[in-house]
Amino acid sequence: MMMKYRLDKLCEINSGGTPSRRKKEYYNEGKIPWAKIRDIESSNGTIYDTEEKITIEGLKSIRNKLFPKGSLLISIYGSVGKVAFTGVDMSSNQAILGIRLNKEGENKLSLEYLKYWFEINLESLKNRAVGGILKNISASIVRGLEIPLPSLNDQKRIAQVLSNCESLIQKRKESIALLDELLKSTFLEMFGDPIEMNKKNLEKLENHIEYLTSGSRGWAKYYSDEGPKFLRIKNLGFGVLNEKDVQKVNPPKSAESIRTIVEEGDLLISITADLGRTAVVPKHYGEAYINQHLALVRLKESLNPRYAAYYFAMPFGNRMIQKKDKDGVKSGLTFKDIKNFDIYMPEIIHQKKFEIIFNQIQELKISYNNHLEELENLYGSISQKGFKGELDLSKVKISSICDFVTTNSDASDSILDIKTPVAGSLEPPKNEDKRPRISKKELENLKITTKGKRDITNTTYLDFIGIPTEIQRRNYADDYSIETDFINEKLFIQFYLKDNFKNKEFTLSDVEISFNSYFIPKGQDFDYESWKEFVFDFIEAKPPLLEQLFDRNDNTVKLKLTDEAFKA
């Protein structure tokens, strides 16, 4: 039986931080990679560069939180459980934890093994996440995770097998994507690009329609675990019927069933919500019906349905469909709209030739997708058995999965020496922001001086610090944001809590959701660690501004403002 170890016994685990957005010298001309969840998601398992970078001064402002090359990053806010290695030294925001082995961990844990353990146990991690819209797990939860560990060599072997399997999965996905691109390029080669098509005579789809109808409403009462298929919008995609999640029905024996039953070669188009999805009913599809969100277009022999479906699925054809949509809220197409669709009409022999090519590529794609599903099932089986110690790993050859020393040598050089700043990096860049600003010194001169504390229940933050009404009006009229310059100040936070959580019990996650709904569009990030420190300061203040209450309904500790929070 494998031993379990708490992660914090084997690793150093720390969160990143976000330098103040109001200080441009923390970002402009910065050279230090600063990772966000988006960088993890767009990486192929290892991050060598980031979308944003910070300066040395910016790094100092977040207490030099730098993760060395080879650290394992894991996201803990929002998209919980995303993982990647650092290919160079880098920092990150507070939504990410950096994990490094300590001395004891070097002899007991492989970070490559841990990466796969996180991925396999993703749902378990998500279940431990708390919060409303923006789910998160705390650093303490990650530190307290108990990880089952086989021998260090077996960990490396498990990671090696999963890496090989992962590589095959990625290659198969790339092959499928290439088939899609091949079909698109074949279509354009056969019939010309959109500009050339538009130069030629376009015809109305109405001239080639034999039968047109929409699907049935209210068939949910006929849903069944078996029986004929009931097609919905989700079953249509780029000219092909998607066989996953097809609803079954026991249809009524009525004229409605006769009207909405599909036939081989019928063109299906989505006419509400996600407009313009297309598919063609293939041969030997069996009994099937459509719901009210789909139109059934039975074409004359002059127009090949496979060609038509692909034409309307291509960007130029789909844009034409979107233009027919007259309602931005409740999208919908009428029969008249469908009849008025313009379509380029090559000779029918060329349309049928495209159908043959389409079918050949589709058969190959089905084969590749089946192989991909087998690989993904194999990956799941191997990972489950590997983490339970049920695999014979004796014949697996160990090689480095994330060899940061012998590969990508240019990218792996350390880009930062904390003790030796990059030349010129401490010089603040020129401020390109030409918007009018009020300096702190000017604000100090504007502040109203009073003896002792006064009641601020009905006072705004800007009024309290003495911003004249005229400046406030100009600020909002010109979309300048004075208040974002003070987000990390204790007084601002006191006012924010007072204005948004008066007479309410709340959690820090509630504050985060409220904050992000307003300040993210203004370029401000919620610094979870800083806010947590302020909350503790408010609780420990004498007299306290916050008190803690235990909510027995959901077994959580809530916060509530005291009377002292309404004085300043």
Side-chain angles (χ1 to χ4, degrees):
M1 185 175 179
M2 290 187 288
M3 293 285 292
K4 288 186 176 182
Y5 292 85
R6 271 179 60 106
L7 207 53
D8 58 0
K9 300 298 182 184
L10 306 177
C11 303
E12 295 178 20
I13 304 172
N14 303 101
S15 64
T18 300
S20 173
R21 289 284 186 181
R22 71 176 183 265
K23 295 192 176 181
K24 300 200 176 290
E25 63 267 28
Y26 288 171
Y27 294 91
N28 286 1
E29 300 180 9
K31 297 181 180 180
I32 303 167
W34 182 68
K36 297 177 291 188
I37 294 177
R38 189 182 304 170
D39 296 304
I40 295 179
E41 292 174 329
S42 62
S43 74
N44 194 20
T46 305
I47 306 173
Y48 292 102
D49 198 7
T50 56
E51 185 179 52
E52 286 190 271
K53 295 181 175 63
I54 60 175
T55 62
I56 288 181
E57 287 301 303
L59 184 67
K60 287 180 179 178
S61 76
I62 56 173
R63 300 188 290 278
N64 289 333
K65 292 182 176 181
L66 189 74
F67 305 122
K69 174 184 63 178
S71 299
L72 179 62
L73 304 184
I74 179 169
S75 60
I76 57 173
Y77 295 170
S79 300
V80 171
K82 302 290 184 181
V83 288
F85 285 101
T86 59
V88 295
D89 296 349
M90 69 179 59
S91 186
S92 79
N93 67 13
Q94 66 277 5
I96 294 172
L97 293 180
I99 303 175
R100 307 176 296 285
L101 297 175
N102 59 26
K103 287 186 178 180
E104 183 179 355
E106 289 175 357
N107 299 317
K108 288 188 172 68
L109 176 63
S110 159
L111 285 183
E112 290 89 351
Y113 172 90
L114 181 61
K115 170 185 177 288
Y116 287 110
W117 187 90
F118 279 138
E119 290 177 341
I120 299 304
N121 291 277
L122 178 59
E123 289 306 313
S124 176
L125 286 174
K126 287 182 176 179
N127 289 338
R128 301 187 68 171
V130 297
I133 297 171
L134 191 66
K135 297 286 187 181
N136 65 81
I137 55 175
S138 66
S140 61
I141 287 177
V142 176
R143 292 187 182 105
L145 290 172
E146 292 190 335
I147 314 295
L149 298 182
S151 70
L152 188 57
N153 278 342
D154 277 355
Q155 291 178 47
K156 293 178 179 179
R157 290 186 178 104
I158 291 169
Q160 181 67 60
V161 171
L162 292 177
S163 175
N164 292 342
C165 193
E166 200 172 50
S167 178
L168 290 173
I169 289 172
Q170 183 59 34
K171 287 177 181 177
R172 182 53 71 220
K173 287 180 178 178
E174 290 170 0
S175 298
I176 293 170
L178 286 173
L179 287 177
D180 290 334
E181 291 303 314
L182 173 62
L183 196 55
K184 291 176 184 177
S185 61
T186 299
F187 186 92
L188 295 175
E189 286 175 10
M190 291 183 67
F191 306 114
D193 60 37
I195 296 176
E196 289 301 315
M197 285 186 187
N198 288 329
K199 289 180 181 178
K200 301 172 184 177
N201 292 329
L202 299 178
E203 296 188 24
K204 296 298 181 184
L205 187 61
E206 179 180 22
N207 298 334
H208 305 277
I209 294 176
E210 182 179 289
Y211 175 69
L212 173 62
T213 191
S214 59
S216 300
R217 297 177 180 273
W219 273 36
K221 58 189 174 183
Y222 302 125
Y223 283 5
S224 173
D225 293 334
E226 55 185 26
K229 300 170 183 176
F230 189 60
L231 302 174
R232 299 168 291 175
I233 290 178
K234 65 173 67 176
N235 302 123
L236 276 60
F238 222 97
V240 180
L241 276 176
N242 180 359
E243 292 299 305
K244 291 184 179 180
D245 195 23
V246 175
Q247 180 61 52
K248 302 293 182 65
V249 290
N250 285 323
K253 294 180 179 179
S254 64
E256 184 75 358
S257 298
I258 296 172
R259 182 180 68 81
T260 60
I261 192 170
V262 304
E263 295 181 7
E264 174 189 323
D266 283 347
L267 170 63
L268 305 180
I269 303 174
S270 61
I271 57 175
T272 66
D274 190 359
L275 295 180
R277 287 194 180 208
T278 64
V280 175
V281 179
K283 293 180 179 180
H284 315 300
Y285 192 67
E287 187 178 352
Y289 303 84
I290 59 171
N291 75 357
Q292 74 271 23
H293 302 297
L294 305 182
L296 184 159
V297 187
R298 197 160 291 152
L299 299 171
K300 298 176 182 178
E301 291 186 358
S302 55
L303 178 58
N304 181 274
R306 184 63 69 188
Y307 165 81
Y310 208 80
Y311 179 91
F312 292 127
M314 290 285 277
F316 48 85
N318 198 262
R319 276 196 298 271
M320 182 265 299
I321 292 177
Q322 303 304 323
K323 288 180 181 179
K324 296 287 185 182
D325 181 23
K326 303 178 184 66
D327 192 336
V329 179
K330 189 177 180 181
S331 299
L333 297 174
T334 65
F335 287 171
K336 183 179 179 181
D337 293 329
I338 294 172
K339 290 177 180 179
N340 281 324
F341 284 171
D342 290 322
I343 186 168
Y344 168 60
M345 290 292 295
E347 292 183 17
I348 191 65
I349 189 171
H350 295 308
Q351 297 178 39
K352 290 181 177 179
K353 183 178 179 181
F354 174 76
E355 180 181 26
I356 293 171
I357 295 171
F358 180 95
N359 290 338
Q360 290 173 340
I361 292 177
Q362 192 61 25
E363 285 181 16
L364 190 56
K365 189 175 176 181
I366 289 171
S367 174
Y368 280 11
N369 274 312
N370 290 338
H371 186 213
L372 175 61
E373 187 174 350
E374 291 173 2
L375 285 171
E376 289 174 337
N377 290 337
L378 177 64
Y379 179 89
S381 175
I382 289 174
S383 60
Q384 292 296 331
K385 291 181 178 179
F387 291 120
K388 290 179 181 178
E390 297 174 356
L391 284 181
D392 179 7
L393 301 164
S394 58
K395 296 182 180 180
V396 178
K397 183 179 179 181
I398 301 174
S399 63
S400 177
I401 298 167
C402 299
D403 191 349
F404 298 105
V405 178
T406 59
T407 61
N408 298 292
S409 56
D410 292 338
S412 66
D413 290 336
S414 176
I415 58 169
L416 177 68
D417 181 352
I418 296 294
K419 296 178 182 178
T420 310
V422 179
S425 63
L426 297 181
E427 296 179 8
K430 294 180 181 179
N431 188 356
E432 300 297 333
D433 192 349
K434 303 300 182 183
R435 302 183 302 176
R437 291 285 181 182
I438 299 174
S439 69
K440 279 194 175 184
K441 186 175 181 180
E442 291 172 316
L443 285 170
E444 288 296 328
N445 294 332
L446 289 169
K447 284 184 182 179
I448 300 172
T449 57
T450 58
K451 292 183 178 180
K453 293 185 176 182
R454 59 191 173 102
D455 187 285
I456 59 169
T457 304
N458 299 311
T459 304
T460 69
Y461 176 71
L462 296 182
D463 283 335
F464 181 82
I465 63 175
I467 302 292
T469 304
E470 180 184 351
I471 296 177
Q472 291 187 41
R473 287 174 179 168
R474 187 183 72 208
N475 173 65
Y476 288 114
D478 296 339
D479 197 28
Y480 305 140
S481 186
I482 296 172
E483 68 269 32
T484 59
D485 285 346
F486 303 90
I487 278 176
N488 291 321
E489 293 187 3
K490 187 176 291 188
L491 183 62
F492 169 86
I493 291 177
Q494 180 181 343
F495 268 81
Y496 186 86
L497 294 177
K498 181 266 297 184
D499 291 339
N500 291 277
F501 297 96
K502 181 181 179 182
N503 300 325
K504 292 181 183 178
E505 294 179 9
F506 60 94
T507 66
L508 194 54
S509 292
D510 296 329
V511 177
E512 184 173 17
I513 293 167
S514 169
F515 180 96
N516 287 342
S517 67
Y518 181 74
F519 285 104
I520 278 185
K522 294 176 178 289
Q524 298 295 327
D525 292 325
F526 183 88
D527 189 338
Y528 191 92
E529 294 299 321
S530 294
W531 277 76
K532 188 166 67 174
E533 289 176 12
F534 282 123
V535 165
F536 285 137
D537 287 345
F538 289 163
I539 292 171
E540 295 171 359
K542 298 187 183 302
L545 281 67
L546 283 172
E547 60 180 339
Q548 299 183 81
L549 304 172
F550 184 72
D551 189 336
R552 296 185 182 277
N553 293 325
D554 55 6
N555 294 323
T556 57
V557 176
K558 299 287 184 68
L559 300 169
K560 189 175 182 181
L561 294 167
T562 67
D563 292 340
E564 193 66 18
F566 298 88
K567 301 174 185 176

